[in-house]
Amino acid sequence: MPTGSPHDFSAPGIDGSPLITVLIVNYNSGARLRACLECLSGQTWRNFETIVVDNASIDGSERAAEEQGAGVTLIAAGANLGFAAGNNLGAREARGEWIAFLNPDAYAEPDWLAEFVAATRRYPWADAFGSTQIDAADPQRIDGAGDVYHVFGIAYRGHYGWPLAQLPPDGECFAPCAAAAFYRREMFERLGGFDERFFCYSEDVDLGFRLRLAGGRAVQLSAARVRHEGSGVTGRYSDFTVYHGNRNRIWTWWKNMPGIVLWPLLPAQLFVSFYLMLRSYTVGIGPSYRRAMRDGYGGLRQFSADRRRLQADRRVRLIDLARALTWSPLKVSRRQADLKPIRRADRQD
């Protein structure tokens, strides 16, 4: 049997290291972390290591990692570093050729890693992969099939809430959702990891955008599946989620979008942001959204150097970036996935 075959469950990675490092950032996730680790212990692909970064939890949830013994490395961050910095901390200790970012409220199916490894053989040119996220509360519904990015700066999980029967096949996504995503470690390091200024939310879209600008490509996998609670720890409409999600949405667009697209669309982007702020008051989250707008637009200057560097180093053709973006307002309103057909298996220049 060839080394690295999808059915060779002990195939080594580079220099005998594990092929995959599964990285989990934990913060007061309660029983979710234990359930997440139990699902990992049942994986059919065995050549992986697990690192749990605990962001100073006070609910005792980190004990689930300690009780796993030698199979799990626990890193005590000493403070709540957030998702971005917590993952960067863990990634510095990763030995795998690939890093699998996994939320503690995401529960991997037994063949999750095996399906990923098989995909690396089918798509050897890809630098990142996304997993199918199934609604943990309703397994017949999709929680996400790749992150979609609209030109107005709106990002969302594709096919969110759609019937599982309508799950699209493998395709190129704009970015993989980091609730259950795989990045080639070399590329992750080259991109500089997650932007720690984001703290939490949209940092995976920002990373995926930077991957695109660097000429990389990401594939969304239909068969690599996890059951996901979706903001199970932070709460979907909490002040924390609304504030960070919308502030970081503004930052992501400004930091990464090429000027040839950004400047003509700036009035439309501002209109969308203010429209969403007005809507936020109808559902009781107006103050959180207003703070996000204030700090989002007020904090743009800190990304000026990033913008210049990213655009100067851009390796993707504008036409290819435009194809990766979503332009249809209808797709946004329907939360529709926007996966592109797999193109020829070579790296785009």
Side-chain angles (χ1 to χ4, degrees):
M1 182 178 296
T3 298
S5 157
H7 302 291
D8 181 1
F9 300 140
S10 61
I14 297 174
D15 301 327
S17 62
L19 181 67
I20 306 163
T21 297
V22 180
L23 184 50
I24 304 167
V25 173
N26 178 63
Y27 179 66
N28 293 335
S29 60
R32 296 180 179 90
L33 178 61
R34 187 179 303 278
C36 177
L37 293 173
E38 287 175 354
C39 289
L40 288 177
S41 68
Q43 291 296 299
T44 55
W45 175 271
R46 301 304 307 163
N47 185 32
F48 70 96
E49 65 174 354
T50 302
I51 296 176
V52 174
V53 176
D54 185 68
N55 276 344
S57 296
I58 59 174
D59 67 345
S61 54
E62 75 281 1
R63 287 197 293 271
E66 295 172 341
E67 293 166 4
Q68 289 287 320
V72 177
T73 298
L74 176 63
I75 298 175
N80 184 8
L81 304 182
F83 183 87
N87 272 306
N88 288 348
L89 174 61
R92 289 194 286 272
E93 302 299 322
R95 297 183 298 132
E97 179 182 351
W98 291 87
I99 300 177
F101 299 102
L102 185 66
N103 278 9
D105 61 358
Y107 314 118
E109 295 296 326
D111 61 351
W112 178 56
L113 293 179
E115 289 291 349
F116 157 71
V117 173
T120 65
R121 309 298 190 257
R122 295 197 303 274
Y123 315 117
W125 41 265
D127 291 301
F129 293 89
S131 308
T132 292
Q133 297 167 210
I134 298 171
D135 189 337
D138 183 357
Q140 296 307 311
R141 298 228 165 247
I142 300 168
D143 181 73
D147 280 348
V148 181
Y149 197 76
H150 193 270
V151 289
F152 292 167
I154 299 172
Y156 61 92
R157 299 199 300 273
H159 267 39
Y160 174 81
W162 285 46
L164 184 60
Q166 296 182 29
L167 180 71
D170 290 2
E172 288 198 50
C173 60
F174 182 82
C177 175
F182 300 86
Y183 269 83
R184 200 182 298 272
R185 180 161 59 96
E186 178 186 9
M187 176 58 80
F188 181 76
E189 292 172 350
R190 198 169 93 196
L191 294 172
F194 291 110
D195 189 330
E196 298 182 7
R197 291 168 292 189
F198 283 50
F199 192 77
C200 189
Y201 289 109
S202 293
E203 68 289 292
D204 54 347
V205 181
D206 167 69
L207 180 67
F209 209 143
R210 285 185 279 132
L211 174 69
R212 282 280 172 187
L213 293 174
R217 292 158 66 185
V219 174
Q220 176 67 21
L221 302 175
S222 62
R225 301 183 176 189
V226 302
R227 289 169 289 114
H228 184 224
E229 292 189 34
S231 299
V233 177
T234 57
R236 186 178 176 192
Y237 292 114
S238 68
D239 175 79
F240 179 90
T241 300
V242 172
Y243 172 76
H244 286 87
N246 287 286
R247 182 198 66 177
N248 296 351
R249 172 180 59 81
I250 295 166
W251 286 356
T252 299
W253 191 78
W254 175 262
K255 175 184 172 184
N256 295 284
M257 189 66 76
I260 196 171
V261 179
L262 182 144
W263 294 115
L265 292 181
L266 181 58
Q269 199 273 345
L270 290 169
F271 173 81
V272 168
S273 287
F274 280 97
Y275 168 73
L276 292 174
M277 184 174 71
L278 291 176
R279 275 191 57 186
S280 72
Y281 278 94
T282 68
V283 292
I285 57 174
S288 301
Y289 193 97
R290 187 179 68 249
R291 287 196 304 112
M293 291 273 285
R294 179 198 67 197
D295 295 346
Y297 288 109
L300 293 182
R301 181 171 296 184
Q302 65 183 305
F303 297 103
S304 297
D306 298 85
R307 270 195 59 79
R308 290 192 294 270
R309 176 181 54 80
L310 287 168
Q311 301 310 318
D313 295 342
R314 177 170 55 83
R315 294 189 59 195
V316 67
R317 297 182 303 171
L318 282 173
I319 186 64
D320 290 320
L321 179 61
R323 288 171 180 154
L325 295 166
T326 296
W327 296 78
S328 167
L330 181 60
K331 286 185 177 179
V332 177
S333 66
R334 300 179 63 207
R335 300 295 292 265
Q336 184 175 348
D338 195 10
L339 302 182
K340 314 301 182 184
I342 301 292
R343 296 185 288 116
R344 57 197 178 102
D346 61 355
R347 189 179 301 276
Q348 79 182 31
D349 295 318

